Amino acid sequence: MSRNLKLLLAVIAVIAIPASFAWALGFQLGESKEKLKLKYDVSVYDHDTGRVTIEFSLIDAGRLAPITSVDLSIPSDEKHDGGGFKSDLTMSMALRNDGTQQVSRVHIRKDWAERAEIQIKTGHLDGKQEPLTWYYHSIPLKELIARAKPHETIN
């Protein structure tokens, strides 16, 4: 095979690679819970052991429907060399159906929870989807941790 033909095939292959292999861009939504028509509840239980339980209940996804995931993210104080932010921990909060709402619980160290945020993620906004774009609504937990309810038994 000639060198020119190999080069041409390589160029065609690069062009033909589907866009789904590219990184999607995520954008934090600055709109309030009310403007996004989101209905959720977050409860925090302090166990006086240095750990807390965070309970998240999604009642209505509002303008973010359908929800892709709900994640607990603990951002790092450090920055990436490229200028982005690092995460010390990001984990999916597996939602389960509980009547008309979806619920998840996480039990973590209190000092981690003070830095944490819940991120409601979607690929849609107002029912529209942009290719390779996703959005998230952030719920900082610091104030909720400070006002945490005393330990209660959670079934």
Side-chain angles (χ1 to χ4, degrees), residues 37-148:
K37 298 181 182 176
L38 279 168
K39 292 182 185 170
Y40 60 79
D41 183 48
V42 181
S43 300
V44 179
Y45 303 95
D46 190 339
H47 299 281
D48 290 325
T49 61
R51 298 185 182 278
V52 295
T53 298
I54 300 162
E55 182 175 89
F56 175 79
S57 302
L58 180 64
I59 301 157
D60 188 345
R63 294 175 46 208
L64 302 185
I67 298 295
T68 306
S69 71
V70 175
D71 297 344
L72 180 76
S73 178
I74 303 173
S76 174
D77 294 331
E78 302 174 34
K79 287 191 172 191
H80 281 292
D81 294 336
F85 289 94
K86 288 183 180 179
S87 177
D88 284 343
L89 173 70
T90 299
M91 61 182 234
S92 178
M93 296 177 68
L95 296 173
R96 62 176 171 70
N97 290 329
D98 186 6
T100 59
Q101 56 191 352
Q102 295 178 300
V103 178
S104 180
R105 289 189 190 110
V106 176
H107 185 75
I108 63 171
R109 290 175 31 169
K110 185 175 182 177
D111 60 324
W112 289 2
E114 289 169 342
R115 293 189 294 136
E117 64 184 24
I118 294 173
Q119 296 177 345
I120 304 172
K121 297 181 178 179
T122 185
H124 296 75
L125 187 58
D126 295 323
K128 299 173 188 159
Q129 184 176 19
E130 294 289 328
L132 301 175
T133 304
W134 56 277
Y135 308 93
Y136 69 98
H137 172 72
S138 179
I139 307 165
L141 297 178
K142 186 172 186 164
E143 288 183 25
L144 294 171
I145 301 301
R147 298 187 320 237

